[in-house]
Amino acid sequence: MIDPLFLEGIIKILFVFVLISAGLIISTRNLSSVLTTYTVQSFLLAAVSFLLYLIDGKGELLLLAGLTLASKVILIPYFISRIEEKIKIGRDLHFAYLEPTTSLLLSIGIILLSYTFLSKVFEDLPLSKLFFFGAVIGLSLTLMGMLVMFSRKKVVTKALGYLSMENGVLMFGLFVTELPFIIEVLIIIDLIILVMLTTILAVGMDSSIEEYRQKFRKLQVWTGVESQ
């Protein structure tokens, strides 16, 4: 039997890495690096869910860890990497409204604001420090994901911002609310549909209907074979 205090200590360390990953997603210009960071962030959430399972013994947490690992660490990153490979966009150089340094400073403000806001909301509830900090990280991650969607221009990067925002919702749900497992499954299905829609937008955003048909037929995004 592993000491729960030891497991809680590991979870708090993972909190730090989750915030670092959110900062990297906001500031990194290389799309492959953004995708890798999102994959690592999702893996950290799966690890947090597994450690909570070891503490509480709830089977739903183990299922959630497995679902997160299969969908957000393997399936979705694999599909997005294929999209990036097909459309041949390696970097997202242009930021809208906010540059990386400004976005990072704003992110620090978001974390402090989330801490202050949730301190007042939960001041009368018997919430442990671990669950309180989990809620703060979850809310901060959600808002930082929204910031990515607001400040980046490429469709693929915006989609990764949305996926990171959903990671924040998952983190908040792990520590504050207890969503039914079927709801988590439905959310994952929504994310997969989002990735498919991103494919359509990324390939044909700046094209006419005929040009879009030609691009989509040439790239063969769904079959994986590029025609000559």
Side-chain angles (χ1 to χ4, degrees):
M1 183 68 180
I2 305 176
D3 185 358
L5 291 177
F6 174 72
L7 295 175
E8 290 183 6
I10 295 178
I11 291 176
K12 289 176 182 175
I13 294 173
L14 294 182
F15 285 166
V16 176
F17 285 105
V18 168
L19 284 180
I20 292 174
S21 69
L24 288 174
I25 289 176
I26 284 177
S27 59
T28 303
R29 296 176 188 270
N30 186 291
L31 287 181
S32 296
S33 298
V34 175
L35 178 60
T36 301
T37 306
Y38 166 75
T39 305
V40 172
Q41 184 184 90
S42 300
F43 178 79
L44 292 172
L45 261 65
V48 168
S49 182
F50 179 71
L51 292 173
L52 287 175
Y53 161 74
L54 294 179
I55 295 174
D56 292 342
K58 294 181 179 178
E60 291 83 359
L61 292 170
L62 183 60
L63 290 173
L64 190 59
L67 181 65
T68 302
L69 199 64
S71 61
K72 297 182 179 181
V73 179
I74 299 175
L75 182 61
I76 291 177
Y78 170 75
F79 198 81
I80 293 181
S81 68
R82 289 197 57 82
I83 294 173
E84 290 180 355
E85 181 183 339
K86 291 290 184 182
I87 63 178
K88 295 180 173 56
I89 298 177
R91 293 170 66 82
D92 188 359
L93 298 176
H94 303 292
F95 288 73
Y97 308 111
L98 297 171
E99 289 296 317
T101 304
T102 312
S103 299
L104 286 174
L105 292 175
L106 188 57
S107 299
I108 295 173
I110 286 174
I111 296 170
L112 294 176
L113 189 64
S114 299
Y115 180 88
T116 305
F117 173 72
L118 292 180
S119 295
K120 295 184 181 297
V121 171
F122 295 137
E123 62 181 352
D124 295 327
L125 297 178
L127 204 64
S128 71
K129 286 187 177 180
L130 177 68
F131 282 72
F132 171 73
F133 283 122
V136 171
I137 302 297
L139 181 58
S140 302
L141 192 57
T142 302
L143 296 175
M144 291 167 77
M146 291 178 65
L147 187 61
V148 174
M149 295 175 62
F150 176 75
S151 63
R152 305 301 285 265
K153 286 192 172 180
K154 299 293 184 187
V155 175
V156 175
T157 321
K158 286 181 179 293
L160 286 167
Y162 179 82
L163 293 169
S164 179
M165 185 177 74
E166 199 280 330
N167 273 350
V169 174
L170 174 61
M171 174 75 87
F172 191 83
L174 280 174
F175 290 93
V176 179
T177 63
E178 191 169 338
L179 292 177
F181 183 70
I182 186 64
I183 300 297
E184 296 293 345
V185 173
L186 292 175
I187 290 174
I188 295 298
I189 293 174
D190 283 344
L191 293 181
I192 293 174
I193 293 173
L194 169 74
V195 172
M196 292 181 176
L197 290 176
T198 301
T199 305
I200 297 172
L201 291 173
V203 171
M205 177 66 79
D206 59 346
S207 307
S208 65
I209 294 178
E210 186 57 34
E211 289 172 340
Y212 169 73
R213 286 177 179 169
Q214 292 177 357
K215 283 183 180 179
F216 210 76
R217 192 180 302 120
K218 179 182 178 183
L219 295 177
Q220 294 288 313
V221 174
W222 307 111
T223 60
V225 179
E226 185 171 348
S227 61
Q228 302 297 320

